[in-house]
Amino acid sequence: MNLIKDDWFTVEKVDNETYVISEYKHWEETHCYLLNGTTNSLLIDTGLGVKNIKAVVNKFATKPLIVIPTHTHYDHIGGLRYFDNFYIHENEEDWINGNFPLPLDFIKNLLIEEPCEFPLDFNIDDYEIFQGKPTKILKDNDIIELGNRTIQIIHTPGHAPGHICLYEKEKEYLYSGDLIYKGKLTAFFPTSDPKTYKNSIDKVVNLPIKKILPSHFDLDLQTSIIKEIKDAFEQIENDGKLEQGSGLFHYQNFTISI
Ligand SMILES: [Zn+2]
Ligand SMILES: [Zn+2]
């Protein structure tokens, strides 16, 4: 059930203390997650930044907010400018703070790659890549306490060097970022690494997981997709093709682009 559906964001409940905020009008169909705990709320990712996500977050966040992007690609950090503080993994501290490695025109072309009804007050000419100083640097296995909820940081590089998944053991939720979703999984950027991506899948495949909460596309994922992605990477490696530039590998629920 949609709690909000305005001209840009859609908000739905995952459970009584967890919300998903989606940008379905854009071809990337981004999802951000808001987790309410008894001492803090946590926003995972901030979307494209073409409309003020904080106005939506404020409607549902019940405690002081911690903001953590899964990595520093534009579609996850776009809304950071609306918040006072954020945490980022140590491997992408320089990307967010002065040294983003991809040119602005490349990002703008991605943003308008497919036809999209952007909000009326959005102007692509004004779009910038957020830069700012993180309030805290994250490392693998760090714990974020929200009072009654405990979230573990799992460093899962490959798509991007500082990519993290967030794992909530109690609920057996995996907030999978761009590591796992139904669609084109990408390790073709110059800053990606297919071998590391494969290792990151191995890192999460044996966790007890009831629900995968991805950053893009279909929200209704079977948890078996992790094993399917693992098997696919193993096949690609066995065929000697786990090298950047090998191309596209198609499977029933996803495509791997390396
Ligand atoms: Zn990404
Ligand atoms: Zn993404």
Side-chain angles (χ1 to χ4, degrees), residues 150-161:
T150 301
I151 313 297
Q152 183 190 348
I153 304 296
I154 304 176
H155 183 212
T156 46
H159 171 74

Side-chain angles (χ1 to χ4, degrees), residues 14-74:
V14 176
D15 59 39
N16 280 336
E17 47 190 12
T18 311
Y19 300 86
V20 52
I21 304 166
S22 307
E23 293 173 290
Y24 283 117
K25 292 200 170 189
H26 191 258
W27 68 271
E28 288 206 77
E29 295 181 8
T30 71
H31 305 297
C32 305
Y33 296 93
L34 175 66
L35 288 62
N36 283 329
T38 50
T39 58
N40 278 97
S41 296
L42 169 63
L43 179 65
I44 300 173
D45 285 329
T46 62
L48 295 158
V50 307
K51 190 170 174 176
N52 187 346
I53 192 172
K54 192 179 181 192
V56 175
V57 169
N58 283 349
K59 289 194 167 85
F60 299 97
T62 53
K63 297 289 170 190
L65 203 59
I66 298 167
V67 180
I68 303 182
T70 53
H71 58 302
T72 63
H73 283 160
Y74 78 109

Side-chain angles (χ1 to χ4, degrees), residues 71 73 75-76 159-160 163 178 186 189 216:
H71 58 302
H73 283 160
D75 49 322
H76 301 255
H159 171 74
H163 186 283
D178 282 5
T186 55
F189 294 116
H216 297 280

